[in-house]
Amino acid sequence: MMSSTIIIENGKSSPPRKPCASGIGPGNYRLIGWDMDTTGKKVIDEICQIAGYTPSASYSQYVMPYKDLNPLAMRRHNMKVVTIGKFRVLKDSKTNKVLKTKSEVSALADFLTWLELIRGDATDGIILVHHEPRKIIPAMLLESLKKYNLLERFKEIVKGFANGFNIAEVKCANTVDTFTLRTLSRTLLNQEIQLDNAKHRACLALQIIQHLSSLEVTKGNEANGSGDSDSAMNKTVEFVREFVQPVEMEEQEYAELKVVFERQSTLKPIFEFFFRINRRERQYASPLRRLLAEAGIEYTQLQETWNNGKKEGLEKLIREKLITIEEKKIQDLLYVLESHFDPDKKPQLRISGDRGQIKIEKSKMTNGKEYNNNKCNSSTESPDSTTSSSPHKIKSEPSENSTIIPEE
């Protein structure tokens, strides 16, 4: 979910980002469930499978990536790249069968052709419905389409994206605690479906939206349209419209996020110690680095502040830029920053899980001071639409020269 922190940049406050998009006007649209499997969560990663679904037709195509899937992606999607003789192939990890693949450019071109066919008489375009706790795959799709000069063709067909997770957050806030595909398919549709395949998730994403739309109509004491599929789908389109993010806004949002990515890259020296230890320590450090980047703070600013005011200067800066952040995170940030800039202090952490929390034990510093043991909430969340079987979602950290959608 999006961060609720209010940040200050250039002396101006920035309100929390809303979990849903600004919406689109009335029109003649067609809804298509859509999802992708990828080699990882970075925007530069490649597509392994792309799928689309409507009640009358579906599309699914595996893609042969140039690089291997990372370990998390292999477990999440149950597929792997192997070498047989002189050839690299994509295999299903469960059945060990070779999957029939195409190149990324061919799969994307075929997908656009299928979208044009399915669009039919929907003169105002297609709305792609996906389901993610963190919005990632729209940016990945746009980046891939841009790479092959297919973006303009895509924009002629597709009006925008609708994230079913955001819609469920609004519409199911009083009935369920988590809004993942797994939970919603179980509670709303009474289904238990394997979510390691993009085709299954694309189908579920649309079915859940249709179900929520029918519940909304029933609340209004209207016919639910079950006997007229076209009428029911039209009502679902009206139900979804306010949550749609137009393609142009998606492009603009990603361009703005790239600035945050660049700031995060400058902060890498501060958090490098935590990133190289283990996965749980990255979970501790990654949200802290993101807070600094979203507040417009870069490494050079922190360095100058330390030179002029030491810890007191850093604390003043942090409290001015992050006006609503909880005290625990303020102290964690100050600890990490002081550990980096003060040559007499070296961070030594031992982090262990404790019922969904991360226990952080801070050892004695070399100057004789001792920090108390603390607990902080981990940034784990329920599995998303591309979840593994793990009860908590593990968040990966980007490399210095890669971009990844910030984890909220």
Side-chain angles (χ1 to χ4, degrees):
M1 290 179 287
M2 290 294 189
S3 170
S4 60
T5 303
I6 296 178
I7 61 177
I8 300 294
E9 187 169 0
N10 299 325
K12 298 180 180 180
S13 61
S14 175
R17 286 174 288 171
K18 296 180 180 180
C20 58
S22 59
I24 56 176
N28 185 6
Y29 305 107
R30 181 145 292 136
L31 295 181
I32 293 180
W34 161 74
D35 212 319
M36 298 194 313
D37 289 337
T38 57
T39 58
K41 290 295 188 180
K42 299 171 186 175
V43 177
I44 61 172
D45 280 319
E46 302 169 71
I47 300 170
C48 298
Q49 184 187 13
I50 185 168
Y53 168 83
T54 70
S56 59
S58 63
Y59 174 89
S60 177
Q61 178 61 57
Y62 289 101
V63 177
M64 186 66 225
Y66 285 100
K67 61 182 180 181
D68 296 342
L69 285 74
N70 68 35
L72 286 177
M74 285 192 290
R75 291 195 296 270
R76 185 183 301 118
H77 307 317
N78 285 313
M79 65 176 75
K80 59 185 177 180
V81 175
V82 299
T83 301
I84 301 178
K86 297 181 180 180
F87 302 97
R88 296 170 72 251
V89 297
L90 193 64
K91 273 192 172 185
D92 185 309
S93 300
K94 289 183 176 179
T95 64
N96 206 37
K97 291 183 178 179
V98 175
L99 301 170
K100 187 177 180 180
T101 62
K102 288 188 175 183
S103 66
E104 189 175 63
V105 61
S106 295
L108 288 172
D110 288 349
F111 181 58
L112 295 185
T113 300
W114 181 77
L115 290 178
E116 289 170 335
L117 179 65
I118 296 302
R119 176 181 178 176
D121 59 357
T123 54
D124 292 299
I126 283 171
I127 298 170
L128 292 178
V129 178
H130 60 112
H131 195 106
E132 299 179 283
R134 294 182 298 110
K135 187 172 60 176
I136 296 175
I137 58 173
M140 299 180 78
L141 176 63
L142 295 179
E143 193 77 1
S144 296
L145 290 167
K146 184 178 180 181
K147 180 168 58 177
Y148 300 114
N149 297 317
L150 294 171
L151 184 56
E152 292 306 314
R153 180 183 171 190
F154 175 82
K155 290 163 72 172
E156 292 176 358
I157 307 167
V158 177
K159 179 65 177 181
F161 300 91
N163 190 348
F165 186 93
N166 294 338
I167 298 174
E169 272 190 306
V170 175
K171 301 298 182 180
C172 303
N174 298 325
T175 56
V176 296
D177 296 327
T178 57
F179 310 100
T180 63
L181 269 181
R182 190 179 304 280
T183 299
L184 293 175
S185 63
R186 184 185 302 124
T187 57
L188 299 181
L189 305 179
N190 196 28
Q191 295 181 11
E192 292 284 352
I193 297 179
Q194 291 296 320
L195 301 178
D196 55 358
N197 189 291
K199 183 177 180 180
H200 297 158
R201 297 194 306 274
C203 175
L204 266 182
L206 184 59
Q207 287 180 344
I208 287 173
I209 293 303
Q210 290 175 303
H211 183 83
L212 292 176
S213 173
S214 68
L215 293 178
E216 190 85 356
V217 171
T218 302
K219 287 180 182 178
N221 296 321
E222 302 177 20
N224 61 18
S226 58
D228 186 342
S229 59
D230 290 337
S231 175
M233 186 58 75
N234 289 337
K235 290 173 182 176
T236 304
V237 169
E238 286 302 302
F239 172 78
V240 167
R241 275 198 308 108
E242 64 176 302
F243 297 94
V244 175
Q245 177 98 324
V247 174
E248 292 76 14
M249 287 188 63
E250 196 73 47
E251 290 182 286
Q252 180 182 348
E253 182 180 280
Y254 177 52
E256 293 170 352
L257 286 175
K258 281 184 177 179
V259 177
V260 176
F261 301 153
E262 292 170 1
R263 293 194 194 115
Q264 286 193 165
S265 181
T266 70
L267 296 169
K268 184 178 180 180
I270 297 175
F271 296 90
E272 188 172 14
F273 170 83
F274 304 93
F275 293 158
R276 70 169 181 251
I277 301 300
N278 58 46
R279 189 166 57 194
R280 288 195 176 274
E281 290 184 5
R282 289 198 299 272
Q283 285 184 299
Y284 164 70
S286 182
L288 299 179
R289 186 176 74 160
R290 185 174 64 250
L291 283 173
L292 293 176
E294 290 181 343
I297 300 175
E298 297 184 357
Y299 183 87
T300 54
Q301 184 179 8
L302 292 169
Q303 178 73 72
E304 182 179 355
T305 301
W306 173 262
N307 292 339
N308 294 332
K310 303 302 180 185
K311 181 179 179 180
E312 292 74 16
L314 289 176
E315 182 171 2
K316 180 180 179 182
L317 174 68
I318 296 301
R319 293 190 184 279
E320 286 178 352
K321 292 283 188 176
L322 298 164
I323 60 176
T324 63
I325 188 173
E326 61 188 74
E327 183 62 25
K328 179 64 182 67
K329 290 184 179 179
I330 290 285
Q331 295 304 319
D332 284 346
L333 274 171
L334 291 175
Y335 167 73
V336 171
L337 295 175
E338 191 178 9
S339 299
H340 173 75
F341 289 113
D342 191 337
D344 295 329
K345 297 183 178 180
K346 300 297 179 184
Q348 295 181 10
L349 302 186
R350 182 170 63 83
I351 302 178
S352 60
D354 182 14
R355 293 186 181 180
Q357 294 182 324
I358 296 177
K359 183 179 181 181
I360 304 171
E361 298 185 0
K362 300 178 181 177
S363 67
K364 292 183 178 181
M365 300 294 103
T366 56
N367 63 356
K369 294 182 180 180
E370 182 176 359
Y371 285 78
N372 294 327
N373 293 344
N374 292 287
K375 285 187 179 180
C376 72
N377 291 330
S378 71
S379 54
T380 55
E381 53 189 10
S382 300
D384 63 5
S385 59
T386 56
T387 185
S388 68
S389 59
S390 170
H392 294 291
K393 181 177 177 183
I394 302 301
K395 298 177 178 176
S396 58
E397 186 62 29
S399 64
E400 183 176 6
N401 296 320
S402 300
T403 56
I404 183 170
I405 300 296
E407 300 180 4
E408 307 291 357

